C-alpha cells in the first residue's frame, strides 16, 4: 500500500494498512519508506531518541521524517485538557535529536502563538501566521513541527 499506518493502539484508517506494535522496533526493513510522520506521539514515549533513530532507519536515503509534538516553550493556556506528557521538547532539542539520527533539518516552525488569552483564538488561527514572523513568538507556539531529510544512518544523541 502507499500508506502504512503504525501505532501502539489498534484501530482503523481508511485506505491504509494499519499495524500495531512497538515504535522502537518496527517490523520493516531498512530504507522501506519515503516518508515517516509522527504526530503527537513523541512526547509520550520513554525513549524518544530511540524512536527517532528507528523511524530514520526505515527511511530511504533522502526520505523525510516529519515530527509534530507539543512545544516545551509554549507558556499560554491550553484550550483542552490533555494527558500529561513524559517529556516536552523545545525546537532546538528536537532538531538535535533529528540530526543525531542522521537527518538534516530542513524546516522548523510552530503553530498557535504564545498568547495568554485563549478567548482571542475564537477558532480562527490564521492570525498565528503573522506572529510566526516575530522572533519572540516564532519558537513558542503550542505545536512544534520539525521536518528532516535522511542523509545517513545514525544513533540517538543519548547513545552517542
Amino acid at each position: 500500500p502507499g500508506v502504512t499506518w503504525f501505532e501502539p493502539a489498534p484501530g482503523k484508517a481508511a485506505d491504509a494498512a494499519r499495524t500495531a506494535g512497538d515504535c522502537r522496533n518496527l517490523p520493516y526493513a531498512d530504507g522501506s519508506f519515503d516518508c515517516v510522520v509522527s504526530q503527537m506521539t513523541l512526547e509520550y514515549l520513554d525513549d524518544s531518541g530511540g524512536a527517532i533513530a528507528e523511524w530514520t532507519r526505515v527511511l530511504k536515503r533522502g526520505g523525510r521524517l516529519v515530527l509534530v509534538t507539543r512545544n516545551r516553550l509554549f507558556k499560554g493556556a491550553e484550550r483542552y485538557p490533555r494527558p500529561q506528557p513524559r517529556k516536552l521538547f523545545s525546537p532546538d532539542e528536537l532538531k538535535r535529536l533529528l540530526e543525531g539520527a542522521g537527518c538534516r533539518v530542513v524546516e522548523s516552525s510552530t503553530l498557535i502563538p504564545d498568547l495568554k488569552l485563549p478567548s482571542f483564538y475564537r477558532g480562527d488561527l490564521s492570525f498565528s501566521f503573522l506572529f510566526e514572523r516575530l522572533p519572540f513568538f516564532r519558537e513558542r507556539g503550542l505545536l512544534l513541527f520539525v521536518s528532516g531529510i535522511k542523509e545517513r544512518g545514525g544513533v540517538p544523541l543519548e547513545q552517542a
Side-chain angles (χ1 to χ4, degrees), residues 19-148:
T19 305
D22 182 356
C23 62
R24 294 167 316 234
N25 187 19
L26 298 176
Y28 308 109
D30 295 358
S32 296
F33 295 96
D34 296 313
C35 182
V36 172
V37 179
S38 169
Q39 180 177 332
M40 308 305 283
T41 302
L42 201 58
E43 65 265 35
Y44 298 101
L45 300 176
D46 288 328
D47 182 14
S48 52
I52 290 172
E54 180 67 355
W55 300 339
T56 303
R57 178 190 68 78
V58 300
L59 274 177
K60 296 176 183 173
R61 182 173 286 247
R64 185 174 291 253
L65 177 59
V66 179
L67 303 175
V68 181
T69 186
R70 288 168 53 197
N71 187 357
R72 184 171 58 82
L73 300 181
F74 179 74
K75 303 299 182 205
E78 296 229 14
R79 295 181 69 187
Y80 305 104
R82 299 173 193 239
Q84 186 65 27
R86 294 176 189 212
K87 178 170 170 95
L88 294 175
F89 301 89
S90 72
D92 287 340
E93 290 168 327
L94 207 49
K95 288 177 192 177
R96 281 195 300 273
L97 283 172
L98 263 74
E99 290 167 352
C103 290
R104 176 178 45 88
V105 174
V106 293
E107 187 174 3
S108 176
S109 63
T110 64
L111 179 64
I112 308 174
D114 186 358
L115 299 174
K116 305 299 182 204
L117 301 173
S119 61
F120 184 73
Y121 298 145
R122 302 208 191 273
D124 177 14
L125 300 175
S126 61
F127 70 91
S128 68
F129 296 111
L130 300 173
F131 285 90
E132 181 73 21
R133 297 183 191 130
L134 302 173
F136 178 81
F137 293 109
R138 185 178 10 249
E139 295 201 342
R140 288 177 173 78
L142 171 63
L143 299 179
L144 174 58
F145 299 83
V146 177
S147 177

